[in-house]
Amino acid sequence: LLDEPWSNVDPSLRESLHAACAAEARARNVTVKDLERSAGEILDAFLGSPLLKTFQELDIVGREVPFEAAVGGRLLHGAIDLLYRRGGAYVVADFKTDRARPGPGPGMEKELLARYAPQLAAYAEAVQAALKLPRPPEWEIWALRSGRVLTV
């Protein structure tokens, strides 16, 4: 791990990453080394992208916000990765680490938006209900490997 580009960051971040990978590796029955390599790639991409600066400047309402809501006749529960305010309006953001398949980037972005649109729309509806907003908040995908924010 020490030869990874992100090894220059705060040592407590590396320790936290190692502990999280160790626990997750046991749960998934994979090696800690493989999981740390993958997590290191994601962290390196995030730290080297404009997303880090964007994240640091947000008016964050909550991270990993638990919710339970009736959406579309179904009871949903989970955690919203990031809820923040932009210009007084709420925004729901979901972090995705999907690997890009070979081919041009825009195709992968369209695929991510199509794949996760129902999930993000449900999160936005849950936030609207919980906060009694007149309309659902905007939502976006933070593609951590590419360092891009994808919006509808």
Side-chain angles (χ1 to χ4, degrees), residues 75-86:
L75 182 63
L76 300 178
H77 58 89
I80 297 169
D81 288 339
L82 179 63
L83 179 62
Y84 70 94
R85 280 186 287 264
R86 178 174 50 218

Side-chain angles (χ1 to χ4, degrees), residues 31-68:
T31 69
V32 175
K33 185 177 179 179
D34 288 343
L35 207 52
E36 281 183 332
R37 184 180 312 112
S38 180
E41 290 170 5
I42 294 165
L43 183 59
D44 188 41
F46 174 75
L47 293 174
S49 78
L51 289 180
L52 176 61
K53 186 173 188 317
T54 299
F55 184 79
Q56 291 170 331
E57 295 172 351
L58 293 177
D59 179 12
I60 296 174
V61 175
R63 291 181 278 180
E64 290 297 319
V65 179
F67 78 93
E68 187 169 281

